[in-house]
Amino acid sequence: MGMVEAIRLAAERGCEIIAAGDGRIAIRAINYDADPYELEERRLLAMSAEEFLNEWIPPHYEP
């Protein structure tokens, strides 16, 4: 998966991807409250879109 696709998928789900330094990226929710995730950019680029969505997009917490 490419970075552009990851950014698009994240944005469609209320999240953003930002640089976290030293080849790492952070995935954080912008439309809801959830803890951010951080991982190596090369790992993101090596995974499938399905894995990214299932494992790295922060879950929505419903009250």
Side-chain angles (χ1 to χ4, degrees):
M1 174 177 60
M3 183 60 73
V4 171
E5 182 180 9
I7 291 169
R8 180 184 56 79
L9 290 170
E12 288 173 350
R13 287 149 182 87
C15 297
E16 68 179 350
I17 295 177
I18 59 171
D22 290 332
R24 299 183 64 78
I25 55 112
I27 304 163
R28 62 183 187 183
I30 54 175
N31 289 338
Y32 56 97
D33 186 29
D35 292 332
Y37 297 130
E38 191 174 306
L39 72 152
E40 291 182 351
E41 184 176 340
R42 64 185 170 99
R43 176 146 187 239
L44 173 69
L45 299 176
M47 69 178 68
S48 69
E50 184 177 333
E51 179 185 359
F52 173 66
L53 293 174
N54 291 332
E55 301 295 327
W56 293 99
I57 293 295
H60 290 262
Y61 292 108
E62 299 292 331

